[in-house]
Amino acid sequence: MYRDNIVQFRAINRAVFLNRSHRFKEDPVFGEILPRFCNDDITEDDILFIKSRYIKNKEVTLPEPSKLRYACATNEERNAVSTSMFLRHLQATHTLSDDLSTECPNHTVMIEGTLRYGGRKTGMICRNLRNMIYDTCGDADVENSEGKRAAPVLKFYHNVPLMMNSNDRIDENLANGTPCIGLYIKLKRGVQLHKENWEGFMVNTVYAHEVKYMICRKEKEKDTDPDEYFKVEPKNSAIKILSKYLGNLPIKGINMTQFGAIDNIATTGHKLQGVSLDNLVVKGWNYGCPNWIYVVLSRVRKLVGLVFNTPLDSTKDYRPTQELTRWEQDLKERLEEPLFKR
């Protein structure tokens, strides 16, 4: 289906179009509004109805912290939200201190990527450069040899939302973009956690190459779905770093050992496609990306599960692109196949 990162639409030989979605069965009014975004029938009343979920409205409140999920326009915004949420986690569970004797809860650990110059199997890059990367870069700034984002520091705690970031295990249904929950890590024999100061809090820390594996659970669509657990091991890859904090000059020639997963508290609209959620906070609206707003709005099962930090602009054009409209019409005329033949 893909060649040189371009979808080969002519490779599609069958198409089934769904006229209704069971995702909105608990909120049919909301479910009736969303198709109008796709059909260019959205009304001003529809926009006003959706705008009722603006955070400054009196009846709108944020979900409890453990259920918070954010939709973001960019990966840089994603990283900022994730960092802020991790700080809130530390404020709730850790003691503000720079004393190394401070007790650190064992449910939280900073997994620092092991950074070495390319070709070397031992010895890390100099401490100053290493700390600069850890302190100023997120996965939005680091790309591995597969062209995937890689986290210089994976902020791990029990029940942290994660997303698989590799296609190495497609045969196990663990493809790039698979959402999961991080549960535990297993250290290699003889390894002990050390403490580091992060934003004024002492936090347990370990290098990725010192971790044998972490245990994760696939995120469930429904509470009745069975639990599916799996192990993830760290792997080594060449990386390229491009950060505004480092002058936007690409840094190459470095290898990093890290887990093929990134934080998923905040998610871009692209990665939200196909996901069903109970709660979603929209950080801001990406009006410049066609269909982005429809994708984000349609991720939640009920309108009450949405919260907006910025009100939806009723003056914007929400019509799908002409290219998408023509492509869908072409599929319907050439390839549409009824799901149930009479």
Side-chain angles (χ1 to χ4, degrees), residues 101-256:
S101 65
T102 302
E103 287 293 321
C104 298
N106 60 11
H107 53 60
T108 301
V109 60
M110 307 275 282
I111 305 177
E112 297 179 335
T114 306
L115 299 167
R116 299 187 175 102
Y117 292 111
R120 294 188 185 180
K121 293 185 178 180
T122 59
M124 288 189 274
I125 65 175
C126 68
R127 180 181 293 274
N128 287 343
L129 178 57
R130 193 166 72 236
N131 288 341
M132 185 182 297
I133 293 170
Y134 292 155
D135 292 343
T136 65
C137 296
D139 60 61
D141 308 301
V142 182
E143 184 179 286
N144 63 23
S145 57
E146 298 177 0
K148 308 298 183 186
R149 303 194 180 280
V153 180
L154 186 61
K155 302 174 181 72
F156 188 94
Y157 54 89
H158 186 63
N159 285 328
V160 62
L162 298 174
M163 178 184 291
M164 297 298 292
N165 204 30
S166 169
N167 282 322
D168 291 345
R169 301 170 66 177
I170 290 180
D171 56 334
E172 301 175 61
N173 294 320
L174 295 173
N176 175 38
T178 301
C180 59
I181 303 297
L183 299 176
Y184 310 100
I185 63 169
K186 171 71 173 179
L187 301 180
K188 292 181 178 178
R189 182 175 297 179
V191 171
Q192 292 186 340
L193 299 172
H194 62 275
K195 300 173 184 177
E196 289 191 10
N197 188 296
W198 197 87
E199 296 291 338
F201 297 90
M202 298 306 297
V203 184
N204 282 325
T205 307
V206 68
Y207 290 114
H209 77 279
E210 299 176 320
V211 182
K212 190 172 183 181
Y213 56 78
M214 66 180 178
I215 299 290
C216 297
R217 184 187 72 238
K218 279 189 181 180
E219 200 170 86
K220 296 192 285 188
E221 286 257 345
K222 297 178 290 186
D223 291 337
T224 54
D225 290 343
D227 290 328
E228 295 183 66
Y229 299 93
F230 60 96
K231 293 181 181 179
V232 183
E233 297 179 355
K235 63 178 184 178
N236 185 59
S237 174
I239 60 170
K240 178 176 70 174
I241 302 170
L242 186 65
S243 170
K244 63 181 180 182
Y245 297 103
L246 302 176
N248 284 323
L249 295 174
I251 300 176
K252 300 180 181 180
I254 295 176
N255 283 17
M256 181 171 73

Side-chain angles (χ1 to χ4, degrees), residues 7 12 62 66 228 256 338:
V7 180
I12 300 173
L62 287 173
S66 63
E228 295 183 66
M256 181 171 73

Side-chain angles (χ1 to χ4, degrees), residues 56-73:
K56 290 188 177 180
N57 293 339
K58 290 183 179 179
E59 68 277 8
V60 178
T61 57
L62 287 173
E64 60 182 86
S66 63
K67 295 181 179 180
L68 274 174
R69 295 288 292 275
Y70 283 83
C72 298

Side-chain angles (χ1 to χ4, degrees), residues 11-136:
I12 300 173
N13 55 22
R14 289 289 186 277
V16 175
F17 288 84
L18 301 179
N19 294 320
R20 57 182 297 183
S21 174
H22 291 287
R23 179 181 292 156
F24 313 111
K25 62 183 179 181
E26 296 181 41
D27 192 345
V29 175
F30 183 48
E32 289 173 4
I33 289 175
L34 288 173
R36 294 201 277 269
F37 268 90
C38 296
N39 299 330
D40 190 21
D41 295 326
I42 193 72
T43 68
E44 205 165 308
D45 287 341
D46 292 337
I47 298 294
L48 287 173
F49 183 71
I50 293 172
K51 284 171 69 173
S52 66
R53 298 305 301 163
Y54 179 39
I55 187 63
K56 290 188 177 180
N57 293 339
K58 290 183 179 179
E59 68 277 8
V60 178
T61 57
L62 287 173
E64 60 182 86
S66 63
K67 295 181 179 180
L68 274 174
R69 295 288 292 275
Y70 283 83
C72 298
T74 66
N75 283 295
E76 289 78 11
E77 190 176 80
R78 248 191 65 245
N79 286 173
V81 170
S82 296
T83 298
S84 176
M85 292 301 297
F86 184 69
L87 179 56
R88 288 179 60 178
H89 166 77
L90 293 183
Q91 290 169 340
T93 61
H94 286 60
T95 302
L96 194 65
S97 172
D98 59 1
D99 186 352
L100 284 172
S101 65
T102 302
E103 287 293 321
C104 298
N106 60 11
H107 53 60
T108 301
V109 60
M110 307 275 282
I111 305 177
E112 297 179 335
T114 306
L115 299 167
R116 299 187 175 102
Y117 292 111
R120 294 188 185 180
K121 293 185 178 180
T122 59
M124 288 189 274
I125 65 175
C126 68
R127 180 181 293 274
N128 287 343
L129 178 57
R130 193 166 72 236
N131 288 341
M132 185 182 297
I133 293 170
Y134 292 155
D135 292 343
T136 65

Side-chain angles (χ1 to χ4, degrees), residues 21 23-24 30 34 69-71 161-163 176-180 219-222 264-280 294-302 306:
S21 174
R23 179 181 292 156
F24 313 111
F30 183 48
L34 288 173
R69 295 288 292 275
Y70 283 83
L162 298 174
M163 178 184 291
N176 175 38
T178 301
C180 59
E219 200 170 86
K220 296 192 285 188
E221 286 257 345
K222 297 178 290 186
N264 197 34
I265 293 175
T267 315
T268 60
H270 172 68
K271 291 292 187 181
L272 280 172
Q273 294 180 88
V275 174
S276 295
L277 298 171
D278 291 321
N279 299 289
L280 187 64
Y294 167 76
V295 168
V296 170
L297 290 175
S298 59
R299 295 312 90 197
V300 293
R301 298 178 176 91
K302 297 185 288 186
L306 279 169

